[in-house]
Amino acid sequence: MCGIVGFTGSRDQAAPICLDALTKLEYRGYDSAGICVLSGGEFNLIKAQGYVKILAEKTDGGRALPGTTGIGHTRWATHGEPNETNAHPHISSGGLFSIVHNGIIENYAPLREFLISRGYEFTSATDTEVAACMIEFFFRETREEKPNETPEAQVVEAISRAARRMTGSYAFGILYKNCPDRIFAAKRESPLFIGVSPEGQYLTSDIAASLHKTREFITLADHEIALISPEGVKVFSGELDELEKKPETVDWDVEAAEKAGYEHFMIKEIFEQPEAVKKTISGRIKNGRVVLDDLDISEEYLKNISRIYITACGTASYVGVAAKYNIERYCRIPVEVVIASEFRYCEPILDETTLVIAISQSGTTADTIAAVREAKRRGAKVLSIVNVVGSVIATESDWTLLTLAGPEICVASTKAYSTQLAVSYLIALRLAEVRGTISAGEYAAIIADLQRLPEAMKTALALKPELSYLASRYFIANDVYFIGRNIDYAVTLEGSLKLKEISYIHSEAYAAGELKHGPIALIENGTLVVTVAAYAPLAEKTASNAVEVKTRGARILAFTTEKTAAHFKEIADNMIVIPDIHEALLPSLAVVPLQMFAYYVALGRGCEIDKPRNLAKSVTVE
Ligand code: AGP
């Protein structure tokens, strides 16, 4: 997720205002930034890799870019390495347009080919530069067809024509060289706002960036296009009808605005999961098949894999546990999940037919980096699943599949976990298809449910009031045990970690069948046992385990589906029923109420939540 800013006014210099707005986006994390000012019919553009303060130095606090109209950008790379070349703003190859973008143009590759065939040249690897050239291409077409239209009208129509040919999400800030004092804006799925004030108009992807300048904001809706000038704002529909859009007063404080009105980043990121998963899988399922264009692995290699190690830390390692069940079930490849701090010293038995999958949100976790290096030293190939382009783990792996969760601010991982799970499903399906170990019917059934997963996650999120209530009943617990079988067990590991890391309650996860081999001695009167029983084939057995602890005084909080709820009607003290979905994808739904339960328990205990004690977002030391 990138940050977009812009300003056009009659007096104030645009670059310092853009710089100031970009620093307000600092909390989101990014890898490069840039500003372009339109002055005297010329674009003055400066970009920098790294933090905004480097851009501030390069632009002498904005003074090196004189002019009253400009756009700025902070980049969280999704296409192309995080370097100055790929940083925004981008200029179209004919030099007419300067553009900043937040979102993903899924079909940028064929569009790029189309433009190259018409003589366009590219300097970056980004989808954004393709968008700039698409707008320029359709501007030339519009200007030819409608020479008597004003330049503003020609640009608005060009944006509309270009947008219709792009699939995916976008929020654009656009300057046209021959329209001084004008900023054009357009959006689809990615947020975009225009702050209005007597001093001028502020374009922003994040209200927090301009809330200190104005509280009056116009919110653009999907497909709308805005023409912004020092005098005001005109908004057009995708069909070019002019719309009446009144600014609304935002009464949030800046901190609340950074969280888009949520109380904490954690709950904001929990609710961002459907969109993050949708972004992560879209463009990777085409015509009912998994298509990993960004994975240059030969089918030969995939067919010859004899075993898989999955190595990661914490939450990422629990994705590995869930992936193990799916890969072994559908691909018939033995999978061993070894946490990275152990993998690096356990002398793993690897060879050229061993695939090591390293999972890491940050891409900078020291133990996981060491595990990747150890795997390569021993002759294995490494496929990493990371959320940060250009991170150490991404650059040192043989192959990388990106999660498109956007910046995850809360130390406790939620949307990164869900997008890592989504990528693991894609890998399992691709492996199973190449190795012929899955029936066409099963493959199609999983694909169908994977495509409806984001909507199903929204249904699970709607359980928020129930989880808030249950947390109010259990937030004083001292010891909590999570139990489940098979793929449900994988989810209990994550549910237990979420609870312990933000509420500081002692919590442990056990395979439900393991209780009687010792842990059941810990059960006392009133002990809370969270039972995850979404996986139907073993739900009855898990229910029996729940009875074992209930008869010893435990309270049972069951997480089931419509299919498995019947087993718990007489047993559970409280039950949460999640939507049903293909069993391979159950972790993505079962985890959502567990995340909310942990969040509300921590809230009830007055814990810090976004920055829990003793924890760091990325553990960059051993
Ligand atoms: C999860 O909520 C924790 N923040 C922690 O377990 C984290 O998942 C682990 O440190 C791995 O981090 P990474 O994904 O950035 O490598």
Side-chain angles (χ1 to χ4, degrees):
M1 207 159 30
C2 304
I4 286 176
V5 299
F7 174 78
T8 183
S10 48
R11 193 194 59 236
D12 296 344
Q13 290 298 293
I17 291 173
C18 287
L19 261 184
D20 174 53
L22 292 177
T23 52
K24 300 269 184 281
L25 301 179
E26 196 118 36
Y27 71 93
R28 292 162 55 132
Y30 48 80
D31 44 57
S32 54
I35 292 175
C36 178
V37 170
L38 173 56
S39 175
E42 291 305 326
F43 290 138
N44 300 314
L45 167 65
I46 296 181
K47 306 194 275 189
Q49 185 171 344
Y51 296 117
V52 171
K53 68 175 185 301
I54 298 170
L55 181 66
E57 286 156 13
K58 281 185 83 169
T59 60
D60 183 20
R63 284 175 287 277
L65 295 167
T68 57
T69 299
I71 51 177
H73 187 268
T74 54
R75 182 169 181 247
W76 175 275
T78 55
H79 290 82
E81 290 305 304
N83 56 32
E84 203 167 304
T85 307
N86 290 331
H88 304 203
H90 286 286
I91 308 283
S92 57
S93 76
L96 294 181
F97 293 92
S98 175
I99 184 171
V100 290
H101 169 220
N102 178 28
I104 295 167
I105 307 299
E106 290 163 2
N107 62 338
Y108 81 99
L111 294 179
R112 197 168 196 271
E113 292 312 311
F114 164 79
L115 290 162
I116 287 171
S117 69
R118 282 162 177 74
Y120 282 79
E121 292 171 358
F122 292 90
T123 56
S124 81
T126 65
D127 54 343
T128 305
E129 194 182 3
V130 172
C133 293
M134 285 295 285
I135 291 166
E136 184 167 278
F137 174 82
F138 284 102
F139 173 73
R140 294 182 191 284
E141 184 181 86
T142 306
R143 191 171 54 179
E144 231 169 81
E145 289 173 14
K146 302 183 175 181
N148 302 325
E149 290 280 353
T150 62
E152 286 91 343
Q154 290 168 346
V155 174
V156 168
E157 176 150 357
I159 294 168
S160 172
R161 292 187 186 189
R164 274 198 225 107
R165 284 156 183 87
M166 294 184 223
T167 60
S169 57
Y170 59 77
F172 292 131
I174 304 162
L175 298 176
Y176 168 49
K177 183 173 264 188
N178 302 323
C179 275
D181 306 333
R182 297 292 185 271
I183 299 177
F184 299 84
K187 70 91 75 187
R188 182 200 300 155
E189 293 181 15
S190 298
L192 199 54
F193 309 92
I194 302 159
V196 297
S197 82
E199 293 73 34
Q201 324 307 336
Y202 302 85
L203 179 68
T204 182
S205 55
D206 188 325
I207 283 176
S210 303
L211 198 55
H212 61 303
K213 291 287 186 182
T214 177
R215 286 190 171 276
E216 301 301 317
F217 287 87
I218 291 169
T219 302
L220 286 186
D222 279 359
H223 308 297
E224 289 180 351
I225 300 165
L227 167 55
I228 307 166
S229 69
E231 299 70 40
V233 182
K234 286 184 180 174
V235 179
F236 302 88
S237 70
E239 294 71 37
L240 307 180
D241 303 319
E242 188 165 347
L243 305 171
E244 256 317 291
K245 295 277 285 194
K246 290 258 179 293
E248 292 166 37
T249 304
V250 172
D251 54 10
W252 294 335
D253 61 24
V254 172
E255 199 197 337
E258 285 179 355
K259 298 169 191 136
Y262 287 97
E263 191 178 352
H264 298 98
F265 283 112
M266 182 171 181
I267 194 69
K268 173 173 180 269
E269 289 159 2
I270 286 173
F271 274 80
E272 285 177 344
Q273 290 181 117
E275 187 56 31
V277 167
K278 184 178 173 197
K279 275 197 177 135
T280 298
I281 60 177
S282 68
R284 290 169 161 164
I285 298 177
K286 293 173 184 164
N287 306 319
R289 286 187 58 247
V290 171
V291 177
L292 300 175
D293 292 330
D294 41 350
L295 195 59
D296 177 21
I297 298 186
S298 73
E299 291 201 358
E300 194 57 32
Y301 173 82
L302 294 177
K303 284 177 183 163
N304 291 329
I305 294 171
S306 60
R307 69 183 302 183
I308 292 174
Y309 274 103
I310 299 178
T311 189
C313 299
T315 285
S317 73
Y318 302 146
V319 170
V321 177
K324 167 186 168 68
Y325 286 107
N326 281 332
I327 294 172
E328 291 191 339
R329 177 169 292 135
Y330 300 109
C331 313
R332 309 310 296 157
I333 303 172
V335 178
E336 193 170 344
V337 182
V338 181
I339 55 175
S341 54
E342 289 298 309
F343 183 91
R344 62 188 294 189
Y345 298 117
C346 70
E347 298 176 29
I349 300 160
L350 310 170
D351 63 26
E352 71 286 349
T353 66
T354 309
L355 173 64
V356 174
I357 299 176
I359 306 175
S360 175
Q361 188 283 130
S362 62
T364 52
T365 298
D367 284 324
T368 312
I369 292 171
V372 167
R373 289 173 178 165
E374 180 63 9
K376 291 178 69 102
R377 193 178 68 80
R378 289 175 176 268
K381 292 285 189 191
V382 176
L383 164 60
S384 61
I385 302 174
V386 299
N387 196 40
V388 181
V389 175
S391 56
V392 173
I393 291 171
T395 47
E396 297 198 10
S397 304
D398 296 285
W399 306 287
T400 296
L401 278 174
L402 274 181
T403 51
L404 298 177
E408 185 176 68
I409 312 299
C410 177
V411 167
S413 182
T414 51
K415 62 177 183 172
Y417 171 86
S418 290
T419 53
Q420 289 161 359
L421 272 180
V423 172
S424 78
Y425 303 144
L426 296 171
I427 292 170
L429 284 165
R430 180 71 182 122
L431 272 171
E433 183 193 31
V434 167
R435 297 168 70 101
T437 50
I438 189 168
S439 71
E442 185 85 90
Y443 183 89
I446 298 175
I447 288 279
D449 272 12
L450 187 50
Q451 289 179 304
R452 73 177 183 86
L453 179 59
E455 284 311 306
M457 291 176 82
K458 287 178 186 170
T459 307
L461 286 167
L463 293 164
K464 175 178 144 184
E466 288 84 340
L467 275 306
S468 172
Y469 163 70
L470 287 171
S472 70
R473 293 198 51 183
Y474 292 114
F475 77 96
I476 37 113
N478 292 314
D479 297 288
V480 180
Y481 298 93
F482 288 71
I483 63 171
R485 285 173 177 263
N486 201 279
I487 206 159
D488 286 336
Y489 166 59
V491 181
T492 63
L493 291 165
E494 175 58 11
S496 172
L497 176 61
K498 285 285 93 52
L499 184 68
K500 72 183 95 172
E501 72 175 325
I502 63 169
S503 72
Y504 313 146
I505 291 176
H506 167 251
S507 163
E508 294 185 62
Y510 285 107
E514 183 61 11
L515 282 176
K516 62 176 85 56
H517 300 285
I520 202 164
L522 295 171
I523 302 300
E524 295 173 340
N525 197 32
T527 302
L528 175 60
V529 176
V530 177
T531 306
V532 178
Y535 179 62
L538 295 176
E540 192 169 1
K541 290 190 178 305
T542 305
S544 307
N545 298 131
V547 170
E548 285 162 11
V549 291
K550 189 172 178 73
T551 49
R552 289 164 175 78
R555 301 184 65 76
I556 303 299
L557 169 52
F559 291 79
T560 65
T561 66
E562 297 94 343
K563 233 190 267 180
T564 62
H567 297 298
F568 286 83
K569 276 226 176 346
E570 304 308 315
I571 303 170
D573 295 275
N574 302 94
M575 180 151 66
I576 292 288
V577 181
I578 64 172
D580 206 8
I581 201 160
H582 191 284
E583 60 193 29
L585 312 178
L586 284 169
S588 298
L589 295 186
V591 78
V592 170
L594 293 178
Q595 293 166 338
M596 293 193 286
F597 180 69
Y599 173 76
Y600 285 108
V601 165
L603 205 56
R605 294 167 71 97
C607 293
E608 155 61 37
I609 296 189
D610 285 330
K611 295 186 178 67
R613 68 186 181 199
N614 311 336
L615 297 181
K617 185 58 186 170
S618 175
V619 181
T620 53
V621 294
E622 186 171 359

